[in-house]
Amino acid sequence: MDIPRYWRLKDQRYRLQGKKCLDCGNLSFPPRLVCPKCKSRNYEKYFFIGKGTVYSHTTIYQAPDRFDHIAPYSVGLIDLEEGVRITAQFTDVPAEELKIGMKVEMVIRQIYEDGPKGPILYGYKFRPVISV
Amino acid sequence: MSAVMKPLRNIGIIGYGAYIPVYRLPATEISELWRDGQDNLFLPVKQKSVPGKDEDTITMSIEAAQNALKRAQIDATKIRAIWIGSESHPYAVKPSGTVVAQVLGIVPDILSADMEFACKAGTEAMQAASAFVGSGMGDYALAIGMDTAQGRPGDALEYTAAAGGAAYIIGPAEESLAILEGSYSFVTDTPDFFRRAYQHYPEHGNRFTGDPAYFKHITGSVTKLLEGLNLEPSDFAAAVFHQPNSKFPQKIAKQLGFTSEQIKHGLLAPYIGNTYAGASPLGLTDVLDYSKPGDRVLIASFGSGAGSDAFSFIVTDKIKDAVKRAPLTQDYIGRSIKIDYSRYARWRKKINR
Protein backbone atom coordinates (compact mmCIF):
# COMPACT_ATOMS: atom_id res chain seq x y z
CA MET A 1 0.00 0.00 0.00
CA ASP A 2 1.33 3.41 -0.90
CA ILE A 3 1.50 6.21 1.65
CA PRO A 4 -1.33 8.40 0.23
CA ARG A 5 -3.77 5.46 0.33
CA TYR A 6 -2.62 4.45 3.82
CA TRP A 7 -3.27 8.01 5.01
CA ARG A 8 -6.60 8.41 3.19
CA LEU A 9 -8.12 5.15 4.46
CA LYS A 10 -6.97 5.41 8.07
CA ASP A 11 -10.40 6.03 9.64
CA GLN A 12 -11.86 3.08 7.70
CA ARG A 13 -9.02 0.83 8.85
CA TYR A 14 -8.84 2.12 12.43
CA ARG A 15 -12.48 2.79 13.27
CA LEU A 16 -14.63 0.95 10.72
CA GLN A 17 -15.84 4.27 9.40
CA GLY A 18 -18.57 3.64 6.87
CA LYS A 19 -21.55 5.68 5.72
CA LYS A 20 -25.22 5.97 6.62
CA CYS A 21 -27.74 7.04 3.97
CA LEU A 22 -29.70 10.01 5.32
CA ASP A 23 -32.66 9.20 3.06
CA CYS A 24 -33.24 5.46 3.65
CA GLY A 25 -30.91 4.70 6.60
CA ASN A 26 -28.89 2.10 4.69
CA LEU A 27 -25.43 1.47 6.18
CA SER A 28 -22.43 0.67 4.02
CA PHE A 29 -18.86 -0.41 4.55
CA PRO A 30 -16.60 0.46 2.87
CA PRO A 31 -18.24 3.88 2.44
CA ARG A 32 -19.97 4.48 -0.90
CA LEU A 33 -20.73 7.62 -2.86
CA VAL A 34 -24.19 6.45 -3.92
CA CYS A 35 -26.64 4.47 -1.76
CA PRO A 36 -27.02 1.00 -3.36
CA LYS A 37 -30.60 0.81 -2.05
CA CYS A 38 -32.17 4.19 -2.89
CA LYS A 39 -29.48 5.80 -5.10
CA SER A 40 -29.23 8.80 -2.77
CA ARG A 41 -25.96 10.74 -2.48
CA ASN A 42 -27.06 12.16 0.86
CA TYR A 43 -24.77 10.44 3.38
CA GLU A 44 -23.17 10.92 6.83
CA LYS A 45 -20.21 9.16 8.44
CA TYR A 46 -21.05 6.09 10.49
CA PHE A 47 -18.66 4.26 12.84
CA PHE A 48 -19.52 0.57 13.20
CA ILE A 49 -19.34 -0.80 16.76
CA GLY A 50 -17.09 -3.65 15.62
CA LYS A 51 -19.03 -6.64 16.97
CA GLY A 52 -20.49 -9.42 14.87
CA THR A 53 -20.64 -13.12 14.05
CA VAL A 54 -18.58 -15.33 11.73
CA TYR A 55 -20.49 -16.02 8.49
CA SER A 56 -17.70 -18.07 6.92
CA HIS A 57 -13.97 -18.61 7.28
CA THR A 58 -10.94 -20.22 5.67
CA THR A 59 -7.25 -20.54 6.44
CA ILE A 60 -4.46 -19.32 4.16
CA TYR A 61 -1.28 -21.40 4.00
CA GLN A 62 0.18 -20.09 0.71
CA ALA A 63 0.12 -16.38 1.43
CA PRO A 64 0.99 -13.35 -0.71
CA ASP A 65 4.50 -12.03 -0.01
CA ARG A 66 3.31 -9.27 2.31
CA PHE A 67 1.49 -11.73 4.56
CA ASP A 68 4.04 -14.54 4.37
CA HIS A 69 5.44 -13.67 7.80
CA ILE A 70 2.11 -14.40 9.54
CA ALA A 71 0.98 -17.45 7.50
CA PRO A 72 -0.89 -19.62 8.20
CA TYR A 73 -3.68 -17.21 9.10
CA SER A 74 -7.48 -17.22 8.92
CA VAL A 75 -9.72 -14.85 7.01
CA GLY A 76 -13.47 -14.72 6.63
CA LEU A 77 -16.76 -12.95 6.28
CA ILE A 78 -18.21 -11.30 9.36
CA ASP A 79 -21.81 -10.17 9.80
CA LEU A 80 -21.61 -6.97 11.83
CA GLU A 81 -24.37 -6.34 14.42
CA GLU A 82 -25.61 -3.45 12.28
CA GLY A 83 -26.33 -5.85 9.40
CA VAL A 84 -23.36 -5.24 7.10
CA ARG A 85 -21.11 -8.11 5.97
CA ILE A 86 -17.37 -7.42 5.73
CA THR A 87 -14.18 -9.38 5.06
CA ALA A 88 -11.34 -9.41 7.57
CA GLN A 89 -8.52 -11.45 9.04
CA PHE A 90 -9.01 -13.30 12.32
CA THR A 91 -6.41 -13.15 15.08
CA ASP A 92 -5.69 -14.80 18.45
CA VAL A 93 -7.74 -17.86 17.52
CA PRO A 94 -6.37 -21.18 16.23
CA ALA A 95 -7.94 -22.17 12.87
CA GLU A 96 -9.50 -25.32 14.36
CA GLU A 97 -11.38 -23.24 16.96
CA LEU A 98 -13.02 -20.87 14.45
CA LYS A 99 -16.70 -21.71 13.99
CA ILE A 100 -19.49 -20.32 11.83
CA GLY A 101 -21.76 -18.27 14.10
CA MET A 102 -18.98 -17.52 16.60
CA LYS A 103 -19.25 -14.08 18.21
CA VAL A 104 -16.26 -11.91 17.32
CA GLU A 105 -15.07 -8.35 18.03
CA MET A 106 -12.81 -5.91 16.26
CA VAL A 107 -9.25 -5.27 17.44
CA ILE A 108 -6.56 -3.12 15.85
CA ARG A 109 -3.47 -5.03 14.77
CA GLN A 110 -0.53 -4.69 12.40
CA ILE A 111 -1.73 -5.67 8.91
CA TYR A 112 1.78 -5.65 7.45
CA GLU A 113 5.05 -3.76 7.44
CA ASP A 114 5.80 -2.12 4.09
CA GLY A 115 9.36 -3.54 4.00
CA PRO A 116 12.00 -2.80 6.66
CA LYS A 117 12.03 0.95 5.83
CA GLY A 118 8.38 1.63 4.97
CA PRO A 119 5.39 2.46 7.15
CA ILE A 120 3.62 -0.09 9.33
CA LEU A 121 -0.01 -0.49 8.30
CA TYR A 122 -2.52 -0.92 11.14
CA GLY A 123 -6.12 -1.94 10.78
CA TYR A 124 -9.03 -4.04 11.97
CA LYS A 125 -8.99 -7.77 12.55
CA PHE A 126 -11.48 -9.88 14.50
CA ARG A 127 -11.09 -12.21 17.47
CA PRO A 128 -13.43 -14.16 19.75
CA VAL A 129 -15.21 -11.75 22.14
CA ILE A 130 -13.51 -11.06 25.47
CA SER A 131 -14.67 -7.52 26.22
CA VAL A 132 -17.51 -6.92 28.70
CA MET B 1 14.44 17.02 52.44
CA SER B 2 12.65 17.83 49.19
CA ALA B 3 8.89 18.02 49.37
CA VAL B 4 6.54 15.38 48.03
CA MET B 5 5.39 16.13 44.46
CA LYS B 6 1.77 17.21 44.32
CA PRO B 7 -0.01 19.36 41.75
CA LEU B 8 -1.88 22.50 42.87
CA ARG B 9 -5.20 21.11 41.65
CA ASN B 10 -6.26 17.79 43.18
CA ILE B 11 -6.24 15.00 40.58
CA GLY B 12 -6.56 11.24 40.32
CA ILE B 13 -7.25 8.24 38.13
CA ILE B 14 -10.67 8.37 36.45
CA GLY B 15 -10.19 5.32 34.23
CA TYR B 16 -7.70 2.48 33.87
CA GLY B 17 -7.28 -0.46 31.52
CA ALA B 18 -4.97 -3.44 31.19
CA TYR B 19 -3.73 -5.40 28.20
CA ILE B 20 -1.71 -8.62 28.04
CA PRO B 21 -1.28 -10.70 24.86
CA VAL B 22 -2.79 -14.20 24.92
CA TYR B 23 0.39 -16.19 24.20
CA ARG B 24 2.62 -17.67 26.92
CA LEU B 25 6.12 -19.16 26.70
CA PRO B 26 6.89 -21.43 29.69
CA ALA B 27 10.31 -20.69 31.24
CA THR B 28 11.08 -24.43 31.05
CA GLU B 29 11.12 -24.11 27.20
CA ILE B 30 14.02 -21.65 27.45
CA SER B 31 15.75 -23.65 30.15
CA GLU B 32 15.54 -26.91 28.17
CA LEU B 33 16.87 -25.30 24.99
CA TRP B 34 19.81 -23.35 26.39
CA ARG B 35 20.70 -25.10 29.67
CA ASP B 36 19.39 -28.64 29.23
CA GLY B 37 16.94 -27.95 32.05
CA GLN B 38 19.79 -27.64 34.57
CA ASP B 39 18.25 -24.48 36.11
CA ASN B 40 14.66 -25.78 36.13
CA LEU B 41 14.41 -25.44 39.91
CA PHE B 42 15.56 -21.81 39.96
CA LEU B 43 13.58 -20.17 37.17
CA PRO B 44 12.86 -16.44 37.67
CA VAL B 45 9.23 -16.77 36.44
CA LYS B 46 6.90 -19.66 35.53
CA GLN B 47 6.13 -18.29 32.05
CA LYS B 48 6.10 -15.03 30.12
CA SER B 49 3.60 -13.34 27.84
CA VAL B 50 4.56 -13.13 24.16
CA PRO B 51 3.00 -10.72 21.67
CA GLY B 52 1.20 -12.23 18.68
CA LYS B 53 2.68 -11.96 15.18
CA ASP B 54 0.59 -8.84 14.53
CA GLU B 55 0.98 -7.07 17.88
CA ASP B 56 3.24 -4.25 18.99
CA THR B 57 3.31 -1.43 21.54
CA ILE B 58 0.84 0.61 19.44
CA THR B 59 -1.81 -2.13 19.06
CA MET B 60 -1.52 -3.13 22.72
CA SER B 61 -1.75 0.51 23.88
CA ILE B 62 -4.96 0.88 21.85
CA GLU B 63 -6.73 -1.94 23.68
CA ALA B 64 -5.55 -0.81 27.13
CA ALA B 65 -6.68 2.76 26.35
CA GLN B 66 -10.09 1.53 25.11
CA ASN B 67 -10.53 -0.30 28.42
CA ALA B 68 -9.55 2.86 30.33
CA LEU B 69 -12.12 4.87 28.33
CA LYS B 70 -14.86 2.33 29.12
CA ARG B 71 -14.15 2.82 32.83
CA ALA B 72 -13.81 6.61 32.66
CA GLN B 73 -17.07 7.15 30.72
CA ILE B 74 -16.07 10.62 29.53
CA ASP B 75 -16.33 12.31 26.16
CA ALA B 76 -13.00 11.01 24.80
CA THR B 77 -12.38 14.18 22.79
CA LYS B 78 -11.85 16.03 26.10
CA ILE B 79 -8.54 14.17 26.54
CA ARG B 80 -5.93 16.82 25.73
CA ALA B 81 -2.67 14.85 26.09
CA ILE B 82 -1.43 11.33 25.38
CA TRP B 83 1.94 10.02 26.53
CA ILE B 84 3.12 6.48 25.84
CA GLY B 85 6.10 5.21 27.81
CA SER B 86 7.91 2.25 26.23
CA GLU B 87 11.32 0.98 25.20
CA SER B 88 9.76 -0.85 22.22
CA HIS B 89 8.03 1.86 20.19
CA PRO B 90 7.51 0.32 16.72
CA TYR B 91 9.14 3.28 14.97
CA ALA B 92 12.49 4.87 15.85
CA VAL B 93 11.05 8.13 14.49
CA LYS B 94 7.25 8.51 14.30
CA PRO B 95 5.22 8.78 17.47
CA SER B 96 3.16 5.85 18.75
CA GLY B 97 0.79 8.31 20.42
CA THR B 98 -0.59 9.77 17.19
CA VAL B 99 -1.70 6.34 15.90
CA VAL B 100 -3.35 5.51 19.23
CA ALA B 101 -5.05 8.93 19.34
CA GLN B 102 -6.34 8.53 15.77
CA VAL B 103 -7.82 5.10 16.55
CA LEU B 104 -9.45 6.43 19.72
CA GLY B 105 -10.92 9.34 17.74
CA ILE B 106 -9.30 11.97 19.98
CA VAL B 107 -7.32 13.86 17.32
CA PRO B 108 -6.49 16.64 16.48
CA ASP B 109 -6.87 18.82 19.60
CA ILE B 110 -4.34 16.93 21.68
CA LEU B 111 -0.70 16.93 22.79
CA SER B 112 1.22 13.73 22.04
CA ALA B 113 4.71 12.41 22.73
CA ASP B 114 6.43 9.11 23.38
CA MET B 115 8.54 8.61 26.48
CA GLU B 116 11.51 6.37 27.19
CA PHE B 117 13.10 5.54 30.54
CA ALA B 118 13.62 1.76 30.41
CA CYS B 119 11.06 0.14 32.73
CA LYS B 120 9.79 3.36 34.31
CA ALA B 121 8.61 5.10 31.14
CA GLY B 122 5.00 4.23 32.02
CA THR B 123 5.00 5.92 35.44
CA GLU B 124 6.91 8.81 33.88
CA ALA B 125 3.90 9.25 31.56
CA MET B 126 1.66 9.17 34.67
CA GLN B 127 3.78 11.89 36.32
CA ALA B 128 3.49 14.08 33.20
CA ALA B 129 -0.27 13.50 32.99
CA SER B 130 -0.69 14.35 36.69
CA ALA B 131 1.23 17.61 36.23
CA PHE B 132 -0.70 18.46 33.03
CA VAL B 133 -4.13 18.00 34.61
CA GLY B 134 -2.92 19.31 37.98
CA SER B 135 -1.80 22.58 36.44
CA GLY B 136 -5.11 23.04 34.64
CA MET B 137 -3.70 22.81 31.10
CA GLY B 138 -6.41 20.25 30.38
CA ASP B 139 -9.07 18.29 32.25
CA TYR B 140 -7.99 14.82 31.10
CA ALA B 141 -4.72 13.20 30.02
CA LEU B 142 -3.96 9.64 28.92
CA ALA B 143 -0.80 7.96 30.25
CA ILE B 144 0.25 4.54 28.98
CA GLY B 145 3.08 2.16 29.93
CA MET B 146 3.44 -0.64 27.37
CA ASP B 147 6.23 -2.88 26.07
CA THR B 148 7.05 -5.84 23.87
CA ALA B 149 10.44 -6.47 25.47
CA GLN B 150 13.17 -8.43 23.67
CA GLY B 151 15.79 -10.64 25.31
CA ARG B 152 18.90 -11.95 23.56
CA PRO B 153 18.58 -15.71 22.87
CA GLY B 154 20.19 -17.58 25.75
CA ASP B 155 20.56 -14.48 27.92
CA ALA B 156 19.22 -14.42 31.51
CA LEU B 157 16.70 -11.74 30.46
CA GLU B 158 15.16 -14.03 27.85
CA TYR B 159 13.27 -15.83 30.63
CA THR B 160 11.44 -12.67 31.64
CA ALA B 161 11.32 -10.13 28.73
CA ALA B 162 7.56 -10.05 28.16
CA ALA B 163 4.72 -8.01 26.68
CA GLY B 164 1.85 -6.06 28.23
CA GLY B 165 0.95 -2.86 30.00
CA ALA B 166 -1.74 -0.49 31.16
CA ALA B 167 -3.40 2.83 30.39
CA TYR B 168 -4.56 5.51 32.86
CA ILE B 169 -6.81 8.48 32.30
CA ILE B 170 -5.88 11.19 34.78
CA GLY B 171 -8.54 13.75 35.62
CA PRO B 172 -9.95 16.00 38.38
CA ALA B 173 -10.09 14.48 41.90
CA GLU B 174 -13.87 14.86 42.15
CA GLU B 175 -14.32 12.45 39.20
CA SER B 176 -11.60 10.02 40.31
CA LEU B 177 -11.80 6.38 41.32
CA ALA B 178 -8.42 6.85 43.04
CA ILE B 179 -7.18 10.27 44.21
CA LEU B 180 -3.45 11.08 44.11
CA GLU B 181 -2.05 11.91 47.58
CA GLY B 182 1.44 12.64 46.30
CA SER B 183 4.37 11.22 44.36
CA TYR B 184 8.16 11.16 44.56
CA SER B 185 10.73 10.65 41.80
CA PHE B 186 14.29 9.54 42.54
CA VAL B 187 16.93 9.38 39.77
CA THR B 188 20.72 8.93 39.46
CA ASP B 189 23.10 8.07 36.60
CA THR B 190 23.48 4.29 36.95
CA PRO B 191 24.72 2.09 34.07
CA ASP B 192 22.84 -1.07 35.06
CA PHE B 193 21.07 -1.81 31.75
CA PHE B 194 21.11 -0.12 28.35
CA ARG B 195 20.60 -0.57 24.64
CA ARG B 196 22.63 1.49 22.19
CA ALA B 197 21.14 2.92 19.00
CA TYR B 198 20.63 0.34 16.20
CA GLN B 199 21.13 -2.56 18.63
CA HIS B 200 18.32 -5.11 18.76
CA TYR B 201 19.01 -6.46 22.26
CA PRO B 202 19.94 -4.67 25.49
CA GLU B 203 23.02 -5.21 27.63
CA HIS B 204 22.89 -5.53 31.41
CA GLY B 205 25.37 -5.12 34.23
CA ASN B 206 24.73 -8.56 35.77
CA ARG B 207 24.98 -8.26 39.59
CA PHE B 208 25.04 -4.47 39.22
CA THR B 209 21.28 -4.55 38.50
CA GLY B 210 20.33 -5.39 42.09
CA ASP B 211 21.48 -3.29 45.05
CA PRO B 212 22.92 -0.18 43.27
CA ALA B 213 20.00 -0.01 40.86
CA TYR B 214 16.62 -1.63 41.67
CA PHE B 215 16.85 -1.65 45.48
CA LYS B 216 18.56 1.74 45.93
CA HIS B 217 16.15 3.69 43.73
CA ILE B 218 12.88 2.14 44.90
CA THR B 219 14.03 2.53 48.50
CA GLY B 220 14.78 6.19 47.72
CA SER B 221 11.43 7.05 46.15
CA VAL B 222 9.25 5.09 48.58
CA THR B 223 11.05 6.16 51.76
CA LYS B 224 10.91 9.84 50.81
CA LEU B 225 7.26 9.61 49.72
CA LEU B 226 6.25 7.98 53.00
CA GLU B 227 8.25 10.48 55.08
CA GLY B 228 6.76 13.39 53.14
CA LEU B 229 3.20 12.15 53.58
CA ASN B 230 3.88 11.07 57.19
CA LEU B 231 2.77 7.52 56.45
CA GLU B 232 3.89 4.03 57.49
CA PRO B 233 3.81 0.89 55.33
CA SER B 234 0.95 -0.36 57.53
CA ASP B 235 -1.21 2.57 56.34
CA PHE B 236 -1.45 0.94 52.89
CA ALA B 237 -3.97 -1.71 51.84
CA ALA B 238 -1.78 -2.75 48.90
CA ALA B 239 1.55 -2.01 47.26
CA VAL B 240 2.95 -2.67 43.79
CA PHE B 241 6.65 -2.66 42.98
CA HIS B 242 8.38 -2.99 39.64
CA GLN B 243 8.75 -6.70 38.95
CA PRO B 244 11.66 -7.76 36.70
CA ASN B 245 11.28 -11.28 38.18
CA SER B 246 9.32 -12.93 40.99
CA LYS B 247 11.97 -12.37 43.69
CA PHE B 248 12.89 -8.66 43.54
CA PRO B 249 9.40 -7.22 44.31
CA GLN B 250 8.96 -9.59 47.25
CA LYS B 251 12.40 -8.72 48.63
CA ILE B 252 11.98 -4.93 48.33
CA ALA B 253 8.52 -5.17 49.93
CA LYS B 254 10.00 -6.98 52.93
CA GLN B 255 12.95 -4.56 53.22
CA LEU B 256 10.60 -1.57 53.23
CA GLY B 257 8.25 -3.13 55.81
CA PHE B 258 5.36 -4.32 53.63
CA THR B 259 3.78 -7.73 54.26
CA SER B 260 3.16 -10.46 51.70
CA GLU B 261 -0.59 -9.82 52.17
CA GLN B 262 -0.09 -6.23 50.94
CA ILE B 263 1.58 -7.35 47.70
CA LYS B 264 -0.56 -10.39 46.92
CA HIS B 265 -2.50 -8.55 44.21
CA GLY B 266 -0.47 -6.96 41.47
CA LEU B 267 2.44 -9.39 41.74
CA LEU B 268 2.07 -10.63 38.17
CA ALA B 269 5.66 -11.41 37.10
CA PRO B 270 5.44 -15.14 37.95
CA TYR B 271 2.58 -15.56 35.43
CA ILE B 272 3.47 -13.13 32.64
CA GLY B 273 7.13 -12.14 33.16
CA ASN B 274 8.53 -8.61 33.12
CA THR B 275 6.45 -6.29 30.98
CA TYR B 276 9.07 -3.52 31.38
CA ALA B 277 7.39 -0.08 31.15
CA GLY B 278 4.06 -1.89 31.54
CA ALA B 279 5.01 -3.82 34.68
CA SER B 280 4.17 -1.59 37.65
CA PRO B 281 1.22 0.14 35.88
CA LEU B 282 -0.20 -3.33 35.12
CA GLY B 283 0.34 -4.40 38.73
CA LEU B 284 -1.71 -1.36 39.78
CA THR B 285 -4.62 -2.28 37.47
CA ASP B 286 -4.78 -5.67 39.20
CA VAL B 287 -4.72 -4.01 42.64
CA LEU B 288 -7.49 -1.57 41.62
CA ASP B 289 -9.62 -4.49 40.35
CA TYR B 290 -9.62 -5.87 43.91
CA SER B 291 -9.64 -2.58 45.87
CA LYS B 292 -12.34 -1.11 48.11
CA PRO B 293 -13.27 2.53 48.68
CA GLY B 294 -10.90 4.06 51.25
CA ASP B 295 -7.97 1.76 50.42
CA ARG B 296 -4.60 3.50 50.24
CA VAL B 297 -2.46 2.06 47.43
CA LEU B 298 1.27 2.46 46.70
CA ILE B 299 2.89 2.00 43.30
CA ALA B 300 6.66 2.23 42.83
CA SER B 301 8.28 1.75 39.44
CA PHE B 302 11.92 1.18 38.60
CA GLY B 303 13.66 2.02 35.36
CA SER B 304 17.27 1.25 34.55
CA GLY B 305 19.56 4.15 33.99
CA ALA B 306 18.21 4.55 36.75
CA GLY B 307 15.24 5.86 38.67
CA SER B 308 11.98 5.18 40.47
CA ASP B 309 8.61 6.98 40.67
CA ALA B 310 6.44 6.27 43.72
CA PHE B 311 2.78 7.32 44.03
CA SER B 312 0.21 7.07 46.80
CA PHE B 313 -3.48 6.89 45.80
CA ILE B 314 -6.65 6.70 47.89
CA VAL B 315 -9.44 4.68 46.27
CA THR B 316 -12.91 6.29 46.17
CA ASP B 317 -16.39 4.78 45.97
CA LYS B 318 -16.36 5.32 42.19
CA ILE B 319 -14.24 2.18 41.93
CA LYS B 320 -17.23 -0.12 42.47
CA ASP B 321 -18.97 0.66 39.18
CA ALA B 322 -15.79 1.34 37.20
CA VAL B 323 -14.24 -2.10 37.75
CA LYS B 324 -17.11 -3.89 35.97
CA ARG B 325 -17.02 -1.82 32.80
CA ALA B 326 -13.94 -3.47 31.20
CA PRO B 327 -12.08 -6.81 31.39
CA LEU B 328 -10.13 -7.40 34.61
CA THR B 329 -6.36 -7.81 34.59
CA GLN B 330 -6.92 -11.42 35.70
CA ASP B 331 -9.18 -11.98 32.66
CA TYR B 332 -6.18 -11.23 30.45
CA ILE B 333 -3.88 -13.40 32.58
CA GLY B 334 -6.38 -16.25 32.50
CA ARG B 335 -6.79 -16.41 28.70
CA SER B 336 -3.54 -18.11 27.76
CA ILE B 337 -2.35 -20.06 24.71
CA LYS B 338 0.96 -21.84 25.35
CA ILE B 339 3.56 -21.74 22.56
CA ASP B 340 6.90 -23.51 22.18
CA TYR B 341 10.34 -21.97 21.66
CA SER B 342 10.31 -22.49 17.89
CA ARG B 343 7.10 -20.49 17.42
CA TYR B 344 8.45 -17.84 19.81
CA ALA B 345 11.69 -17.64 17.79
CA ARG B 346 9.80 -17.16 14.52
CA TRP B 347 7.22 -14.70 15.84
CA ARG B 348 9.83 -12.55 17.57
CA LYS B 349 11.91 -12.55 14.37
CA LYS B 350 14.85 -14.42 15.89
CA ILE B 351 14.75 -16.67 12.81
CA ASN B 352 13.60 -15.70 9.31
CA ARG B 353 12.70 -17.65 6.23
Side-chain angles (χ1 to χ4, degrees), chain A residues 39-40 46 48 56 63-65 91 95 100 109 112 118 121 130:
Chain A
K39 310 295 182 270
S40 164
Y46 181 82
F48 288 85
S56 186
D65 286 351
T91 190
I100 289 170
R109 294 295 171 90
Y112 56 76
L121 178 69
I130 68 158

Side-chain angles (χ1 to χ4, degrees), chain B residues 174-185:
Chain B
E174 54 276 17
E175 296 173 37
S176 295
L177 55 86
I179 295 171
L180 178 75
E181 268 195 304
S183 65
Y184 206 98
S185 292

Side-chain angles (χ1 to χ4, degrees), chain B residues 126-191:
Chain B
M126 290 168 71
Q127 281 287 42
S130 301
F132 182 85
V133 177
S135 71
M137 282 179 73
D139 279 339
Y140 305 108
L142 179 55
I144 300 174
M146 193 66 66
D147 254 312
T148 57
Q150 285 273 24
R152 187 188 306 281
D155 186 85
L157 293 179
E158 193 181 27
Y159 287 106
T160 52
Y168 289 90
I169 298 171
I170 304 296
E174 54 276 17
E175 296 173 37
S176 295
L177 55 86
I179 295 171
L180 178 75
E181 268 195 304
S183 65
Y184 206 98
S185 292
F186 186 94
V187 164
T188 72
D189 177 8
T190 309

Side-chain angles (χ1 to χ4, degrees), chain A residues 14-63:
Chain A
Y14 293 176
R15 304 179 66 197
L16 278 180
Q17 183 212 305
K19 281 193 172 172
K20 180 178 183 179
C21 175
L22 291 173
D23 290 322
C24 74
N26 183 61
L27 297 171
S28 61
F29 186 89
R32 292 170 185 257
L33 279 174
V34 179
C35 175
K37 212 167 157 190
C38 74
K39 310 295 182 270
S40 164
R41 289 174 184 262
N42 198 12
Y43 265 104
E44 68 175 6
K45 285 180 186 174
Y46 181 82
F47 295 95
F48 288 85
I49 293 164
K51 297 212 172 188
T53 52
V54 176
Y55 176 77
S56 186
H57 61 89
T58 188
T59 300
I60 310 286
Y61 292 88
Q62 298 297 324

Side-chain angles (χ1 to χ4, degrees), chain B:
Chain B
M1 197 191 90
S2 301
V4 162
M5 293 166 165
K6 187 155 194 240
L8 296 174
R9 175 193 193 188
N10 286 327
I11 59 103
I13 297 166
I14 64 160
Y16 66 94
Y19 183 74
I20 304 162
V22 69
Y23 304 100
R24 304 282 180 273
L25 179 68
T28 49
E29 284 278 324
I30 300 169
S31 166
E32 289 296 332
L33 182 70
W34 295 110
R35 294 181 178 80
D36 227 6
Q38 176 255 344
D39 57 348
N40 257 344
L41 296 175
F42 318 101
L43 298 173
V45 295
K46 292 186 181 77
Q47 57 184 14
K48 68 169 181 173
S49 58
V50 177
K53 291 174 279 191
D54 55 3
E55 290 189 285
D56 63 24
T57 291
I58 287 178
T59 66
M60 292 162 51
S61 295
I62 289 166
E63 185 158 340
Q66 287 168 333
N67 286 334
L69 275 169
K70 283 180 193 162
R71 290 203 169 97
Q73 294 208 309
I74 53 165
D75 172 2
T77 58
K78 289 189 176 158
I79 295 173
R80 299 300 303 280
I82 173 169
W83 284 290
I84 302 179
S86 180
E87 61 173 66
S88 48
H89 291 290
Y91 286 93
V93 179
K94 185 179 184 304
S96 301
T98 55
V99 184
V100 176
Q102 187 81 39
V103 173
L104 298 177
I106 58 175
V107 292
D109 303 310
I110 190 166
L111 164 65
S112 170
D114 295 347
M115 295 194 164
E116 190 280 323
F117 193 137
C119 294
K120 95 166 180 80
T123 55
E124 202 180 348
M126 290 168 71
Q127 281 287 42
S130 301
F132 182 85
V133 177
S135 71
M137 282 179 73
D139 279 339
Y140 305 108
L142 179 55
I144 300 174
M146 193 66 66
D147 254 312
T148 57
Q150 285 273 24
R152 187 188 306 281
D155 186 85
L157 293 179
E158 193 181 27
Y159 287 106
T160 52
Y168 289 90
I169 298 171
I170 304 296
E174 54 276 17
E175 296 173 37
S176 295
L177 55 86
I179 295 171
L180 178 75
E181 268 195 304
S183 65
Y184 206 98
S185 292
F186 186 94
V187 164
T188 72
D189 177 8
T190 309
D192 57 320
F193 170 98
F194 43 85
R195 178 165 65 86
R196 294 279 303 276
Y198 309 113
Q199 296 296 306
H200 193 52
Y201 298 114
E203 300 294 323
H204 54 90
N206 294 309
R207 286 161 195 273
F208 205 68
T209 60
D211 288 338
Y214 181 91
F215 292 96
K216 172 182 167 178
H217 292 86
I218 294 185
T219 303
S221 68
V222 172
T223 306
K224 293 197 173 193
L225 179 68
L226 266 54
E227 280 174 17
L229 294 174
N230 202 18
L231 294 171
E232 300 288 330
S234 56
D235 294 323
F236 289 86
V240 175
F241 300 97
H242 176 56
Q243 32 204 288
N245 50 41
S246 308
K247 188 172 86 177
F248 276 23
Q250 298 183 69
K251 188 172 166 188
I252 189 78
K254 198 171 177 189
Q255 281 181 5
L256 291 169
F258 290 88
T259 65
S260 52
E261 185 66 18
Q262 285 168 298
I263 60 164
K264 76 175 179 188
H265 296 303
L267 183 57
L268 310 177
Y271 316 104
I272 58 167
N274 178 8
T275 53
Y276 283 55
S280 48
L282 195 53
L284 181 60
T285 63
D286 191 41
V287 164
L288 290 172
D289 286 344
Y290 289 97
S291 64
K292 309 184 299 293
D295 280 358
R296 181 179 276 119
V297 173
L298 175 81
I299 168 176
S301 65
F302 169 74
S304 295
S308 170
D309 302 317
F311 304 74
S312 174
F313 290 100
I314 294 182
V315 177
T316 73
D317 56 8
K318 291 196 167 51
I319 191 76
K320 286 184 278 188
D321 291 330
V323 168
K324 298 176 229 158
R325 294 190 196 117
L328 305 179
T329 310
Q330 289 297 334
D331 292 336
Y332 282 104
I333 290 176
R335 54 159 212 153
S336 98
I337 299 175
K338 289 221 172 15
I339 59 169
D340 56 14
Y341 195 95
S342 53
R343 274 187 178 73
Y344 164 75
R346 181 187 165 202
W347 292 5
R348 301 302 288 145
K349 297 180 179 164
K350 294 171 198 299
I351 51 169
N352 294 302
R353 197 196 293 255

